[in-house]
Coordinates of all heavy atoms in Angstrom, one line a residue:
M874 N 31.5 26.8 -27.5 CA 32.2 25.6 -27.9 C 33.0 25.1 -26.7 O 33.2 24.0 -26.6 CB 33.0 25.9 -29.1 CG 33.4 24.7 -29.9 SD 31.9 23.9 -30.5 CE 32.6 22.8 -31.7
N875 N 33.5 26.1 -25.9 CA 34.3 25.6 -24.8 C 33.5 24.9 -23.7 O 34.0 24.1 -22.9 CB 35.0 26.8 -24.1 CG 36.2 27.3 -25.1 OD1 36.7 26.5 -25.9 ND2 36.5 28.5 -25.0
A876 N 32.3 25.2 -23.7 CA 31.4 24.6 -22.7 C 31.2 23.1 -23.0 O 31.0 22.4 -22.0 CB 30.0 25.3 -22.7
L877 N 31.4 22.6 -24.2 CA 31.3 21.2 -24.5 C 32.4 20.4 -23.8 O 32.2 19.2 -23.5 CB 31.3 21.0 -26.0 CG 30.1 21.4 -26.8 CD1 30.2 21.2 -28.2 CD2 28.8 20.7 -26.3
I878 N 33.5 21.1 -23.6 CA 34.6 20.4 -22.9 C 34.2 20.0 -21.5 O 34.5 18.9 -21.0 CB 35.8 21.3 -22.8 CG1 36.4 21.5 -24.2 CG2 36.9 20.7 -21.9 CD1 37.5 22.6 -24.4
Y879 N 33.3 20.7 -20.8 CA 32.8 20.4 -19.5 C 31.5 19.6 -19.5 O 31.3 18.7 -18.7 CB 32.6 21.7 -18.8 CG 33.8 22.5 -18.6 CD1 34.0 23.7 -19.2 CD2 34.9 22.0 -17.7 CE1 35.1 24.5 -19.1 CE2 36.0 22.8 -17.6 CZ 36.2 24.0 -18.3 OH 37.3 24.7 -18.2
L880 N 30.7 19.9 -20.5 CA 29.3 19.2 -20.5 C 29.4 17.8 -20.9 O 28.6 17.0 -20.4 CB 28.4 20.0 -21.4 CG 28.0 21.4 -20.9 CD1 27.1 22.1 -21.9 CD2 27.3 21.3 -19.5
I881 N 30.2 17.4 -21.9 CA 30.2 16.1 -22.3 C 30.7 15.1 -21.2 O 30.1 14.1 -21.0 CB 31.0 15.9 -23.6 CG1 30.3 16.6 -24.8 CG2 31.4 14.5 -24.0 CD1 31.1 16.7 -26.1
P882 N 31.8 15.4 -20.5 CA 32.2 14.5 -19.4 C 31.2 14.5 -18.3 O 30.9 13.4 -17.7 CB 33.5 15.1 -18.9 CG 34.0 15.9 -20.0 CD 32.8 16.4 -20.7
I883 N 30.5 15.6 -18.0 CA 29.5 15.6 -17.0 C 28.3 14.7 -17.4 O 27.8 13.9 -16.6 CB 29.0 17.0 -16.7 CG1 30.1 17.8 -15.9 CG2 27.7 17.1 -15.9 CD1 29.8 19.3 -15.8
A884 N 28.0 14.8 -18.7 CA 26.8 14.0 -19.2 C 27.2 12.5 -19.2 O 26.4 11.6 -18.8 CB 26.4 14.4 -20.6
V885 N 28.4 12.2 -19.5 CA 28.9 10.8 -19.5 C 28.9 10.3 -18.1 O 28.5 9.1 -17.7 CB 30.2 10.6 -20.2 CG1 30.8 9.2 -20.0 CG2 30.0 10.9 -21.7
G886 N 29.4 11.1 -17.1 CA 29.4 10.7 -15.8 C 28.0 10.5 -15.1 O 27.8 9.5 -14.4
L887 N 27.1 11.3 -15.5 CA 25.7 11.1 -15.0 C 25.1 9.9 -15.6 O 24.3 9.2 -14.9 CB 24.8 12.4 -15.3 CG 25.2 13.6 -14.5 CD1 24.4 14.8 -15.0 CD2 24.9 13.4 -13.0
G888 N 25.4 9.6 -16.8 CA 24.9 8.4 -17.5 C 25.5 7.2 -16.8 O 24.8 6.2 -16.5
L889 N 26.8 7.2 -16.5 CA 27.4 6.1 -15.8 C 26.8 6.0 -14.3 O 26.7 4.8 -13.8 CB 28.9 6.3 -15.7 CG 29.6 6.1 -17.0 CD1 31.1 6.4 -17.0 CD2 29.4 4.7 -17.6
L890 N 26.5 7.0 -13.7 CA 25.9 7.0 -12.4 C 24.5 6.4 -12.4 O 24.2 5.5 -11.6 CB 25.8 8.4 -11.8 CG 25.3 8.5 -10.4 CD1 26.3 7.9 -9.4 CD2 25.1 10.0 -10.0
G891 N 23.8 6.7 -13.4 CA 22.5 6.1 -13.6 C 22.6 4.6 -13.9 O 21.8 3.8 -13.3
L892 N 23.5 4.2 -14.7 CA 23.7 2.7 -15.0 C 24.2 2.1 -13.7 O 23.7 0.9 -13.5 CB 24.8 2.7 -16.1 CG 25.1 1.2 -16.5 CD1 23.9 0.5 -17.0 CD2 26.3 1.2 -17.4
A893 N 25.0 2.7 -12.9 CA 25.5 2.0 -11.7 C 24.3 1.9 -10.7 O 24.2 0.8 -10.1 CB 26.6 2.8 -11.1
A894 N 23.4 2.9 -10.6 CA 22.3 2.8 -9.8 C 21.3 1.7 -10.2 O 20.7 1.0 -9.4 CB 21.5 4.1 -9.7
F895 N 21.2 1.6 -11.6 CA 20.3 0.5 -12.1 C 20.8 -0.9 -11.7 O 20.1 -1.8 -11.4 CB 20.1 0.7 -13.6 CG 19.3 -0.4 -14.3 CD1 18.0 -0.5 -14.0 CD2 19.9 -1.3 -15.1 CE1 17.3 -1.6 -14.6 CE2 19.2 -2.3 -15.7 CZ 17.9 -2.4 -15.5
L896 N 22.2 -1.0 -12.0 CA 22.8 -2.3 -11.7 C 22.7 -2.7 -10.3 O 22.5 -3.8 -9.8 CB 24.2 -2.3 -12.2 CG 24.4 -2.3 -13.7 CD1 25.8 -2.2 -14.1 CD2 23.7 -3.5 -14.4
W897 N 22.8 -1.7 -9.4 CA 22.7 -1.9 -8.0 C 21.3 -2.4 -7.6 O 21.1 -3.3 -6.8 CB 23.0 -0.6 -7.2 CG 22.7 -0.8 -5.8 CD1 23.5 -1.4 -4.7 CD2 21.5 -0.4 -5.1 NE1 22.8 -1.4 -3.6 CE2 21.6 -0.8 -3.7 CE3 20.3 0.3 -5.5 CZ2 20.6 -0.5 -2.8 CZ3 19.4 0.5 -4.6 CH2 19.5 0.1 -3.3
S898 N 20.3 -1.8 -8.2 CA 19.0 -2.2 -7.9 C 18.7 -3.6 -8.4 O 17.9 -4.3 -7.8 CB 17.9 -1.2 -8.5 OG 18.0 -1.3 -9.9
L899 N 19.3 -4.0 -9.5 CA 19.1 -5.4 -10.0 C 19.8 -6.3 -9.0 O 19.2 -7.4 -8.7 CB 19.8 -5.5 -11.4 CG 19.0 -5.0 -12.5 CD1 19.8 -5.2 -13.8 CD2 17.7 -5.7 -12.6
R900 N 20.9 -6.0 -8.5 CA 21.6 -6.9 -7.6 C 20.9 -6.9 -6.2 O 21.0 -7.9 -5.5 CB 23.1 -6.4 -7.4 CG 23.9 -6.6 -8.5 CD 25.4 -6.3 -8.3 NE 26.2 -7.1 -9.1 CZ 27.1 -7.9 -8.5 NH1 27.5 -7.7 -7.3 NH2 27.9 -8.7 -9.3
A901 N 20.2 -5.9 -5.8 CA 19.5 -5.8 -4.5 C 18.1 -6.4 -4.6 O 17.3 -6.2 -3.7 CB 19.5 -4.3 -4.1
N902 N 17.8 -7.1 -5.8 CA 16.5 -7.7 -5.9 C 15.3 -6.8 -5.8 O 14.3 -7.2 -5.3 CB 16.3 -8.9 -5.0 CG 17.4 -9.9 -5.1 OD1 17.9 -10.2 -6.2 ND2 17.9 -10.6 -4.0
Q903 N 15.5 -5.6 -6.4 CA 14.4 -4.6 -6.3 C 13.3 -4.9 -7.3 O 12.2 -4.5 -7.1 CB 14.9 -3.2 -6.6 CG 15.9 -2.7 -5.6 CD 15.2 -2.4 -4.3 OE1 14.1 -1.8 -4.3 NE2 15.9 -2.8 -3.2
Y904 N 13.5 -5.8 -8.3 CA 12.5 -6.0 -9.3 C 12.0 -7.5 -9.3 O 11.4 -8.0 -10.1 CB 13.1 -5.8 -10.7 CG 13.6 -4.4 -10.9 CD1 14.9 -4.1 -10.9 CD2 12.7 -3.4 -11.0 CE1 15.4 -2.8 -11.1 CE2 13.1 -2.1 -11.3 CZ 14.4 -1.8 -11.3 OH 14.8 -0.6 -11.4
D905 N 12.2 -8.2 -8.1 CA 11.8 -9.6 -8.0 C 10.3 -9.7 -7.8 O 9.7 -10.6 -8.3 CB 12.5 -10.2 -6.8 CG 13.9 -10.6 -7.2 OD1 14.3 -10.5 -8.4 OD2 14.6 -11.1 -6.3
D906 N 9.7 -8.8 -7.0 CA 8.3 -8.9 -6.7 C 7.6 -7.6 -7.1 O 7.4 -6.7 -6.2 CB 8.1 -9.2 -5.2 CG 6.7 -9.5 -4.8 OD1 5.9 -9.8 -5.7 OD2 6.3 -9.3 -3.6
L907 N 7.3 -7.5 -8.4 CA 6.7 -6.2 -8.9 C 5.3 -6.1 -8.5 O 4.7 -5.0 -8.3 CB 6.9 -6.1 -10.3 CG 8.3 -6.0 -10.9 CD1 8.3 -6.0 -12.3 CD2 8.9 -4.8 -10.3
E908 N 4.5 -7.2 -8.4 CA 3.1 -7.1 -8.1 C 2.8 -7.2 -6.7 O 1.6 -7.0 -6.3 CB 2.4 -8.2 -8.9 CG 2.5 -8.1 -10.4 CD 1.8 -9.2 -11.2 OE1 1.1 -10.0 -10.5 OE2 1.8 -9.2 -12.4
G909 N 3.7 -7.7 -5.9 CA 3.4 -7.9 -4.4 C 3.0 -6.7 -3.7 O 2.0 -6.6 -2.9
A910 N 3.8 -5.6 -3.9 CA 3.5 -4.3 -3.2 C 2.1 -3.8 -3.7 O 1.4 -3.3 -2.8 CB 4.6 -3.3 -3.5
A911 N 1.8 -4.0 -4.9 CA 0.5 -3.4 -5.4 C -0.7 -4.3 -4.8 O -1.7 -3.7 -4.4 CB 0.4 -3.5 -6.9
W912 N -0.5 -5.6 -4.7 CA -1.5 -6.4 -4.1 C -1.7 -6.2 -2.6 O -2.7 -6.2 -2.0 CB -1.3 -7.9 -4.3 CG -1.7 -8.3 -5.7 CD1 -0.9 -8.6 -6.7 CD2 -3.0 -8.3 -6.2 NE1 -1.6 -8.8 -7.9 CE2 -2.9 -8.7 -7.6 CE3 -4.3 -8.1 -5.7 CZ2 -4.1 -8.8 -8.4 CZ3 -5.4 -8.2 -6.5 CH2 -5.3 -8.5 -7.8
R913 N -0.5 -5.9 -1.9 CA -0.6 -5.6 -0.5 C -1.3 -4.3 -0.2 O -2.0 -4.1 0.8 CB 0.8 -5.6 0.1 CG 1.4 -6.9 0.4 CD 2.7 -6.9 1.2 NE 3.8 -6.2 0.5 CZ 4.6 -6.7 -0.4 NH1 4.5 -8.0 -0.7 NH2 5.5 -6.0 -0.9
A914 N -1.2 -3.4 -1.1 CA -1.9 -2.1 -0.9 C -3.4 -2.3 -1.1 O -4.3 -1.6 -0.5 CB -1.4 -1.0 -2.0
I915 N -3.8 -3.1 -2.1 CA -5.2 -3.4 -2.4 C -5.9 -4.3 -1.4 O -7.0 -4.0 -0.9 CB -5.3 -4.1 -3.8 CG1 -4.9 -3.1 -4.9 CG2 -6.7 -4.5 -4.0 CD1 -4.9 -3.7 -6.2
M916 N -5.2 -5.3 -1.0 CA -5.8 -6.3 0.0 C -5.6 -5.7 1.4 O -4.6 -5.5 2.0 CB -5.0 -7.7 0.0 CG -5.0 -8.3 -1.4 SD -6.6 -8.8 -1.9 CE -6.6 -10.4 -1.1
D917 N -6.7 -5.4 2.0 CA -6.7 -4.8 3.4 C -7.1 -5.9 4.3 O -8.3 -6.0 4.7 CB -7.6 -3.7 3.4 CG -7.5 -2.9 4.7 OD1 -6.5 -3.0 5.4 OD2 -8.4 -2.1 5.0
D918 N -6.2 -6.7 4.7 CA -6.5 -7.9 5.5 C -6.2 -7.7 7.0 O -6.6 -8.5 7.9 CB -5.6 -9.1 5.2 CG -6.0 -9.6 3.8 OD1 -7.1 -9.4 3.4 OD2 -5.2 -10.4 3.2
D919 N -5.7 -6.5 7.4 CA -5.5 -6.3 8.8 C -6.8 -6.2 9.6 O -7.7 -5.5 9.2 CB -4.5 -5.1 9.0 CG -5.1 -3.8 8.5 OD1 -6.2 -3.9 7.9 OD2 -4.4 -2.9 8.6
D920 N -6.8 -6.8 10.7 CA -7.9 -6.7 11.5 C -7.7 -5.5 12.5 O -7.1 -5.7 13.6 CB -8.1 -8.0 12.3 CG -8.3 -9.2 11.4 OD1 -9.0 -9.0 10.4 OD2 -7.9 -10.3 11.7
G921 N -8.3 -4.5 12.2 CA -8.2 -3.3 13.0 C -9.0 -3.4 14.3 O -9.7 -4.4 14.5
P922 N -8.9 -2.5 15.2 CA -9.7 -2.6 16.4 C -11.2 -2.5 16.1 O -11.6 -1.6 15.3 CB -9.2 -1.3 17.1 CG -8.6 -0.4 16.1 CD -8.1 -1.3 15.0
S923 N -11.9 -3.3 16.7 CA -13.4 -3.3 16.4 C -13.9 -2.2 17.3 O -13.4 -1.8 18.3 CB -13.9 -4.7 16.9 OG -13.7 -4.9 18.3
D924 N -15.1 -1.7 16.8 CA -15.7 -0.6 17.5 C -16.7 -1.1 18.6 O -17.5 -0.3 19.1 CB -16.4 0.3 16.5 CG -17.4 -0.4 15.6 OD1 -17.5 -1.6 15.7 OD2 -18.1 0.3 14.8
G925 N -16.7 -2.4 18.9 CA -17.6 -2.9 20.0 C -19.0 -3.1 19.6 O -19.8 -3.4 20.5
K926 N -19.4 -3.0 18.4 CA -20.9 -3.3 18.0 C -21.1 -4.7 17.7 O -20.4 -5.4 17.2 CB -21.2 -2.4 16.9 CG -21.2 -0.9 17.2 CD -21.6 -0.1 16.1 CE -21.6 1.4 16.4 NZ -21.9 2.3 15.3

């Protein structure tokens, strides 16, 4: 029962840390372009070096 005295504040602190990280990611525009990175991975538009054929 004495362990709850330590575990509850630690759990609340970790929850607040997760919330702060989420709010930071929202302010840093991390969710503005969700599909762009996926399309850039699929679209291979770079013109690599030709093999001379």
Side-chain angles (χ1 to χ4, degrees):
M874 200 63 161
N875 288 335
L877 291 177
I878 293 172
Y879 300 109
L880 292 178
I881 290 175
I883 290 172
V885 170
L887 288 175
L889 290 175
L890 183 67
L892 179 64
F895 175 70
L896 292 175
W897 171 81
S898 68
L899 284 178
R900 292 181 144 236
N902 299 327
Q903 295 291 317
Y904 299 107
D905 281 353
D906 188 18
L907 294 177
E908 295 180 3
W912 281 109
R913 282 191 295 275
I915 293 172
M916 304 290 279
D917 190 18
D918 289 341
D919 60 357
D920 296 329
S923 62
D924 55 354
K926 292 182 182 176

